[in-house]
Amino acid sequence: MTLNRRHFLAALTASAGVLSLGGRAFAQAPFVIPTYGGTWAKFWEEVLLPGFTKATGIQGQLDVGLGKDFVSKIRAGGAASPYSVFMGNENIAAMLRAEGFFEPLDLTKVPNAAKLHEGLMNPENNGLRGIVSPIGLAYRTDMIQTPPKSWTDLWTNPEFKGRIGLYQIGNTGALLFLRLAGKLFGSGDMDIDTAFTKIAELAPFTQASWSGEVATALMRGDVAIAPVDWTEIMTLQDKGAPVEIVVPTEGVLAYEQSFNIVKTGAAKDQAHAYINYLIDADVQSNMAKTFYTSPVNTASTVDAALAKRIPITGDAMSKIIRFDWDKYVEIAADVADRWNREIG
């Protein structure tokens, strides 16, 4: 049987009576912190987790994986999630939120939340976006004569035809670009019909499943231009690749890592402390140096050299184009199916 949102809500409601028992049973369980692999895991192991323990006295245990792994474990955990805090792209978090797995943040336990840039706290304190990786238009400087200035240049500059890279629908980047197309050319970001029509006009284009794959395609010259996050492009530049990235006139998209309190987790106080530490001004500055992310804390600073490379900082955070993912949850499955049928 395929479980849908209603099934998960029913299961959660049925298990409500044993939540308190589950909490006592896991009172001595380690505080498990989900994070991603590669450079992310290295930073968590060597910098973030030791700093968190030093600042709070809380011992954490990392669980390295992908967002889809964290979702599966929370769902499978039923009334006793292995996590008390969830980390994942906001569109993924919105899905779990709709299924009833999260509870609002207690902001008395997250004082750093008061320093967040506008738009990073979800309505009614239902999670916050704690790591922001802006997405601009990246291109090969040796393959493009006229650098892009606008997202619409993808459609109007004949130089880009057949040389564009996009994400597959399984990547949040594809959803962001799809909704951007609806916003640019249709009645709004939920105008999916117009978005599909406009993206089809860009064909043929190369699809990639994750940011590193797009970066590799740029590195090889398989594509000349693509929506990519600053992290990947700055890393390529560090390796000497002839790539550049611009802030389009309409603004940037962004991977926004959402942090939420899991209702069925046992370590709520530790989870609040972890989120508060993660959005600390100094922690965010360190992340910017490591990942080229944009600090979410208004008190964070980046030096002048770094600020030139990651322009979406400080007041420029207002250039991020955001969408309401809570409204999108109901159509997410249909959109993915349509993408696979019409785009491939």
Side-chain angles (χ1 to χ4, degrees):
M1 178 179 71
T2 299
L3 295 178
N4 58 28
R5 177 174 168 245
R6 287 190 297 276
H7 291 122
F8 285 117
L9 287 171
L12 194 62
T13 300
S15 64
V18 298
L19 287 179
S20 59
L21 177 60
R24 289 194 297 274
F26 281 79
Q28 301 304 316
F31 174 51
V32 181
I33 299 172
T35 193
Y36 306 131
T39 307
W40 294 82
K42 181 178 174 64
F43 180 82
W44 256 248
E45 289 173 354
E46 297 180 357
V47 180
L48 195 142
L49 195 54
F52 172 60
T53 299
K54 183 178 180 180
T56 65
I58 299 171
Q59 297 287 335
Q61 176 180 303
L62 294 182
D63 185 42
V64 177
L66 301 173
K68 63 180 182 181
D69 303 325
F70 310 147
V71 170
S72 296
K73 290 181 181 179
I74 288 173
R75 285 172 170 167
S81 166
Y83 309 122
S84 296
V85 61
F86 172 80
M87 168 184 176
N89 286 321
E90 173 55 27
N91 60 302
I92 303 298
M95 183 173 58
L96 281 177
R97 192 175 300 121
E99 294 170 9
F101 282 104
F102 298 154
E103 64 184 39
L105 289 156
D106 180 349
L107 295 189
T108 64
K109 300 176 181 178
V110 191
N112 282 325
K115 303 174 185 174
L116 288 174
H117 283 283
E118 186 175 355
L120 296 175
M121 176 63 73
N122 289 338
E124 300 179 355
N125 305 333
N126 279 313
L128 59 81
R129 296 124 193 254
I131 303 175
V132 173
S133 303
I135 299 170
L137 269 175
Y139 64 97
R140 281 281 298 256
T141 57
D142 58 340
M143 294 172 64
I144 296 295
Q145 297 297 315
T146 305
K149 295 181 180 178
S150 163
W151 289 105
T152 60
D153 289 347
L154 290 173
W155 282 267
T156 60
N157 187 338
E159 192 180 0
F160 302 155
K161 191 66 176 176
R163 308 165 85 191
I164 296 172
L166 296 177
Y167 294 99
Q168 295 174 349
I169 194 63
N171 187 292
T172 295
L175 302 178
L176 291 164
F177 189 71
L178 184 78
R179 298 189 69 178
L180 175 69
K183 180 181 176 67
L184 291 176
F185 298 105
S187 59
D189 60 85
M190 291 291 278
D191 187 347
I192 302 302
D193 288 340
T194 297
F196 269 101
T197 298
K198 296 304 294 185
I199 289 177
E201 291 177 4
L202 295 178
F205 49 78
T206 298
Q207 292 192 60
S209 57
W210 56 294
S211 293
E213 199 172 315
V214 180
T216 299
L218 276 170
M219 190 82 161
R220 292 175 176 169
D222 296 337
V223 302
I225 185 168
V228 190
D229 55 279
W230 257 259
T231 302
E232 294 293 341
I233 299 307
M234 294 301 99
T235 301
L236 287 184
Q237 286 184 350
D238 291 342
K239 296 177 181 177
V243 292
E244 189 54 84
I245 184 168
V246 301
V247 177
T249 53
E250 302 92 342
V252 298
L253 302 173
Y255 291 113
E256 294 186 315
Q257 298 302 311
S258 181
F259 291 84
N260 298 264
I261 301 297
V262 181
K263 185 180 294 182
T264 52
K268 304 289 179 57
D269 286 343
Q270 292 93 326
H272 280 89
Y274 170 69
I275 293 174
N276 187 58
Y277 180 76
L278 187 114
I279 61 173
D280 173 82
D282 290 339
V283 174
Q284 288 288 316
S285 294
N286 283 335
M287 283 188 176
K289 293 176 185 175
T290 304
F291 302 113
Y292 301 109
T293 51
S294 298
V296 302
N297 191 313
T298 55
S300 292
T301 58
V302 295
D303 61 42
L306 184 58
K308 288 183 179 178
R309 303 192 70 192
I310 50 173
I312 307 300
T313 59
D315 293 342
M317 295 289 278
S318 63
K319 294 182 179 179
I320 296 174
I321 302 169
R322 293 197 173 88
F323 307 115
D324 182 344
W325 293 105
D326 290 338
K327 292 181 180 178
Y328 180 81
V329 167
E330 292 294 335
I331 65 170
D334 290 339
V335 171
D337 179 64
R338 182 174 175 179
W339 181 287
N340 290 328
R341 284 187 285 105
E342 298 184 13
I343 306 295

